[in-house]
Amino acid sequence: MAAEHPFKEVLTSLPKPGGGEFGKFYSLPALNDPRIDKLPYSIRILLESAVRNCDNFQVKKEDVEKIIDWENTSPKQVEIPFKPARVLLQDFTGVPAVVDLACMRDAMNKLGSDTSKINPLVPVDLVIDHSVQVDVTRSENAVQENMELEFRRNKERFSFLKWGSSAFHNMLVVPPGSGIVHQVNLEYLGRVVFNTNGTLYPDSVVGTDSHTTMIDGLGVAGWGVGGIEAEAAMLGQPMSMVLPGVVGFKLSGKLRNGVTATDLVLTVTQMLRKHGVVGKFVEFYGDGMGELSLADRATIANMSPEYGATMGFFPVDHVTLQYLKLTGRSDETVAMIESYLRANKMFVDYKEPQQERVYSSYLELNLAEVEPCVSGPKRPHDRVPLKEMKADWNSCLNNKVGFKGFAVPKEALEKVAKFSFDGKPAELKHGSVVIAAITSCTNTSNPSVMLGAGLVAKKACELGLQVKPWIKTSLAPGSGVVTKYLLQSGLQEYLNKQGFHIVGYGCTTCIGNSGELDESVASAISENDIIAAAVLSGNRNFEGRVHALTRANYLASPPLVVAYALASTVDIDFDKEPIGTGKDGKSIFFKDIWPSTEEVAEAVQSSVLPDMFRSTYQAITKGNPMWNQLQVPSSILYTWDPNSTYIHEPPYFKNMTMEPPGVHGVKDAYCLLNFGDSITTDHISPAGSIHKDSPAAKFLLDRGVERKDFNSYGSRRGNDEVMARGTFANIRLVNKLLNGEVGPKTIHVPTGEKLYVFDAAMRYKDAGHDTIVLAGAEYGSGSSRDWAAKGPMLLGVKAVIAKSFERIHRSNLVGMGIIPLCFKSGEDADTLGLTGHERYTIDLPNKISDIRPGQDVTVTTDNGKSFTCTVRFDTEVELAYFNNGGILPYVIRNLIKQ
């Protein structure tokens, strides 16, 4: 007989205004605790989840008390369990997740257990959006042509995901060509409030993409986690997390004329980065909230990973309800959402007096102080005011190589690369724009900046300005709704005239799916060592991510992307220098093509209509002819094809037994790589193109895959053999063992040979040697990429010793059984005199019971050095994962015991 629910007395009926009830809910006011009224709204969502899921086993009454007492407990780094309402995947992370689930079923089968236990217990929404490459541009048929190429390359992956959607319960797969996962989540998948079998509760979501945070703009608590952590959440395991501090961010005033939401988010990103918000929630409030559209809020929430926060949360208010109606949610659904949130003290009504909430720290921004800006050339938080762009660019050319430097020799600063394009003379200089992409969920979900880009294109056409033909221009909307309102407004015509034809619906240039540059452009850059630029409306601009040949990459609003494409260079002062010459021979300046806030608002008002959302999403799960023609088997166990280069059974559960392997230290390990600061998951496990000379390329060529069919690393994440070879394969990798040389190689210490990282790792493995990685600050920043942990594990890496870790990456390392260690404050490899040529021993206790979260351990080297590090197992649950050899073996053993 099931035990009584510990909080059954607060289960309350929610009446409908006209009689009857919406359902029942666990009432926070009924807990009758005055501390709840002071809690940030984001913490109330954690509290409701703990109350509803309390079983005194996975979630205990003490956990509920910890959350209620947040003001006192959050500074103490206490651990709580959290069960999200659903899980969100995209295909780059969805394929390996479904591969892992299929493997877990196989493991259960081999261990003689019930395979039906491997089924999602919460809804899983999987949007296929990361596979479209920008191959065909400047064509009315670009969408169809790119989609045909996408299906040809990815048929096997798509078939596998279609199999998964029927083999596993509770899994919705949104077919390719529908849009970008986070925009589809915002416009369609986000429930805000669930009603499951008559029980109402807030929507909350963890996703295998770091920009899952975009949904926070809708008042849904959501953040990115590692794929392996998401898989455990799907299977009903509570996520163990440290109860976060919450930064209260007060907004006042309103944006000035001509300033965009992108300018605002780049400003907020820089402010929060400076404040320090890693591992914290940020909650926005204040009078300025009423001046921000839901799309503006979503833009700010989207870039939480770039400012380092777990969430950038906007509680539900009247603006949220208006957006829900605009996007086609029914009146009854919106009424239920409002009634529930008001009844459970989770709704903000700015017309009423506000009760003062307590925050861990406070920030404030007057929106009127925000000015037009971009970020770059190598990091999203390196904001540059537009008026300072020319000076900043010239400084970057001269500065030593770094995040703000290219060290171009003085004699090469004015270099001009002349070439022929389509039979006509053309030229490139440092700063010439060769990619201009309106892309990414950050901005394509925001009608004001998308229509703003259309207005810039229209004004430029009318004045006689034209984007140079050799610039690779593209427009990749995040959903079909964007196309509808661009057509309705009449502005798509002008974007087309400037080369910004729609190329597809998905995550393109921002993830590295920028396709090839024209050969003549690529040769001009390579042969003359030109620092070419990409300008994109994305959220990531790390080196080597956007395109191998664009060493300068700037994040900008969609209208600024069009403006820089028209100027054809980032080396321009828009205030003083003309963008070009008009048809009447007059100089055209930035102010001549820039729309006013009123013009943009008018376009939004007349062009963005609820029926557009309804018609787009009514058809979304029906797919398209190419998707519907895919034939898939109906078996619940997957039949692995040993010859497949896309889907391969990984070795995670090989020889697995019911007995956990136990804890292990590291003895006499070699250093595989020695890094400085800010090594991103793009450096560790690139998502973009596969270099022709790389170990992954050799592997594919040996199996008969032609170079034109290599596809990207991201698309091959279902094959561990490709991905292991793609680990540390970024062409911009800076490894101190190479003494200044850049590239995906390292020194094999015993022989002194310079080898590809994969080849060196295999040599160590074959000889029975463990390896470690040395790193600086912010190791693993960037996308929440589980292959950045799976890959090193397959290479034989047993530990990473760093100054600090990005939140998701650290937990991914733990999930794959790799030990994360932090140097003590003020110390790093350089201060300790470590070169990476030593052998390392990490002394861990032999029994799990003798290790505690965050304890110190001693690391010794074979040349007599000894230093202390902190072991970054942050919770007791993480220790249990390590004891089991990782999170997935832990889950399997637990499920078998149930």
Side-chain angles (χ1 to χ4, degrees), residues 41 46 180 388 406 650 810 884 887 891:
Y41 287 95
L46 301 184
I180 302 175
E388 296 170 20
F406 297 104
R810 185 204 60 79
N884 276 268
I887 190 171
V891 169

Side-chain angles (χ1 to χ4, degrees), residues 412 415-419 428 430 520-531 551:
K415 182 181 278 189
V416 177
K418 295 186 181 294
F419 64 104
L428 295 176
H430 298 308
S520 63
V521 176
S523 298
I525 295 169
S526 302
E527 290 164 15
N528 296 279
D529 201 19
I530 293 291
I531 313 288
R551 280 147 72 188

Side-chain angles (χ1 to χ4, degrees), residues 538-549:
N539 46 47
R540 295 267 164 85
N541 55 345
F542 302 124
E543 272 187 292
R545 179 183 175 105
V546 173
H547 194 284
L549 293 176

Side-chain angles (χ1 to χ4, degrees), residues 547-796:
H547 194 284
L549 293 176
T550 58
R551 280 147 72 188
N553 301 282
Y554 284 94
L555 305 182
S557 66
L560 271 179
V561 169
V562 179
Y564 274 112
L566 288 160
S568 75
T569 181
V570 296
D571 185 12
I572 183 171
D573 182 337
F574 277 146
D575 282 348
K576 297 173 183 167
E577 296 175 84
I579 282 177
T581 305
K583 54 191 173 190
D584 59 0
K586 282 186 184 168
S587 291
I588 307 296
F589 287 83
F590 179 78
K591 63 180 171 54
D592 300 322
I593 61 168
W594 199 252
S596 69
T597 300
E598 287 71 28
E599 284 176 278
V600 173
E602 203 175 290
V604 172
Q605 189 66 37
S606 60
S607 307
V608 185
L609 308 169
D611 278 347
M612 294 175 177
F613 292 89
R614 285 194 199 99
S615 60
T616 298
Y617 287 112
Q618 274 166 2
I620 199 165
T621 52
K622 293 175 186 167
N624 52 62
M626 286 181 274
W627 172 261
N628 296 335
Q629 283 160 19
L630 293 175
Q631 300 293 312
V632 297
S634 56
S635 57
I636 64 158
L637 293 176
Y638 189 70
T639 307
W640 304 96
D641 176 359
N643 299 315
S644 171
T645 57
Y646 274 107
I647 309 294
H648 182 261
E649 184 176 11
Y652 310 140
F653 308 111
K654 208 174 176 182
N655 307 321
M656 181 183 159
T657 63
M658 278 302 292
E659 194 59 37
V663 300
H664 58 84
V666 177
K667 188 163 177 58
D668 288 333
Y670 284 99
C671 177
L672 182 63
L673 295 138
N674 182 3
F675 292 130
D677 294 344
S678 295
I679 290 295
T680 70
T681 51
D682 280 294
H683 289 116
I684 304 166
S685 182
S689 58
I690 297 171
H691 194 271
K692 62 182 173 58
D693 300 322
S694 65
K698 184 179 185 306
F699 174 85
L700 292 170
L701 289 167
D702 288 349
R703 278 149 189 80
V705 179
E706 293 180 45
R707 191 179 162 198
K708 67 179 174 62
D709 295 321
F710 278 2
N711 214 330
S712 63
Y713 281 114
S715 67
R716 291 194 179 269
R717 285 186 186 155
N719 188 306
D720 57 288
E721 293 181 308
V722 174
M723 295 308 294
R725 287 163 175 81
T727 303
F728 300 114
N730 190 305
I731 57 167
R732 300 282 174 212
L733 201 67
V734 179
N735 170 17
K736 292 179 189 176
L737 290 174
L738 293 180
N739 297 319
E741 188 182 329
V742 176
K745 294 192 175 179
T746 195
I747 299 298
H748 179 250
V749 174
T751 62
E753 282 182 80
K754 183 169 74 174
L755 301 169
Y756 279 106
V757 175
F758 173 79
D759 296 332
M762 291 306 101
R763 227 188 252 190
Y764 286 126
K765 243 185 155 180
D766 292 344
H769 297 309
D770 290 343
T771 54
I772 60 121
V773 170
L774 294 175
E778 298 179 335
Y779 182 76
S781 54
S783 301
S784 57
R785 199 163 285 173
D786 57 340
W787 265 110
K790 287 176 174 175
M793 184 275 282
L794 292 173
L795 295 189

Side-chain angles (χ1 to χ4, degrees), residues 499-521:
F500 288 93
H501 293 82
I502 294 174
V503 294
Y505 299 91
C507 198
T508 55
T509 306
C510 190
I511 190 67
N513 290 349
S514 45
E516 295 302 324
L517 292 175
D518 186 88
E519 221 167 278
S520 63
V521 176

Side-chain angles (χ1 to χ4, degrees), residues 106-321:
D106 286 349
M108 295 283 274
N109 194 40
K110 284 170 189 165
L111 290 166
S113 189
D114 180 6
T115 57
S116 69
K117 287 181 178 178
I118 305 295
N119 258 317
L121 297 179
V122 297
V124 176
D125 299 322
L126 194 162
V127 181
I128 301 176
D129 73 334
H130 271 51
S131 307
V132 59
Q133 296 267 355
V134 186
D135 291 305
V136 180
T137 59
R138 296 181 178 251
S139 159
E140 298 284 352
N141 299 318
V143 174
Q144 184 62 23
E145 290 180 58
N146 284 326
M147 190 177 271
E148 284 171 6
L149 287 165
E150 180 184 2
F151 267 82
R152 185 170 63 77
R153 290 186 187 118
N154 296 286
K155 184 179 178 185
E156 198 178 334
R157 296 170 64 244
F158 293 170
S159 298
F160 177 67
L161 289 175
K162 197 171 182 183
W163 167 80
S165 69
S166 57
F168 297 102
H169 307 320
N170 236 353
M171 187 180 285
L172 169 73
V173 174
V174 176
S178 304
I180 302 175
V181 57
H182 307 305
Q183 187 162 344
V184 174
N185 193 23
L186 190 75
E187 294 175 354
Y188 175 65
L189 297 171
R191 279 74 153 183
V192 186
V193 173
F194 267 92
N195 185 345
T196 303
N197 302 323
T199 300
L200 305 171
Y201 53 97
D203 187 3
S204 58
V205 59
V206 293
T208 53
D209 188 291
S210 48
H211 293 104
T212 300
T213 54
M214 188 169 194
I215 201 68
D216 301 339
L218 195 67
V220 173
W223 59 87
V225 296
I228 36 192
E229 207 175 349
E231 289 157 31
M234 286 180 215
L235 296 169
Q237 296 296 309
M239 289 172 48
S240 178
M241 63 186 285
V242 173
L243 186 61
V246 182
V247 177
F249 199 125
K250 188 176 185 179
L251 297 171
S252 61
K254 64 183 288 187
L255 294 173
R256 286 181 291 155
N257 188 29
V259 175
T260 67
T262 318
D263 302 323
L264 171 58
V265 73
L266 296 179
T267 304
V268 167
T269 298
Q270 188 182 44
M271 283 178 71
L272 286 167
R273 195 84 193 187
K274 189 177 174 187
H275 186 75
V277 292
V278 172
K280 296 174 183 169
F281 290 174
V282 176
E283 186 165 297
F284 294 89
Y285 70 104
D287 296 340
M289 292 281 277
E291 298 296 332
L292 291 182
S293 70
L294 195 291
D296 291 349
R297 297 173 182 192
T299 301
I300 296 169
N302 176 284
M303 283 189 74
S304 295
E306 282 67 44
Y307 44 82
T310 305
M311 282 207 300
F313 188 73
F314 290 81
V316 176
D317 61 12
H318 285 104
V319 173
T320 322
L321 300 179

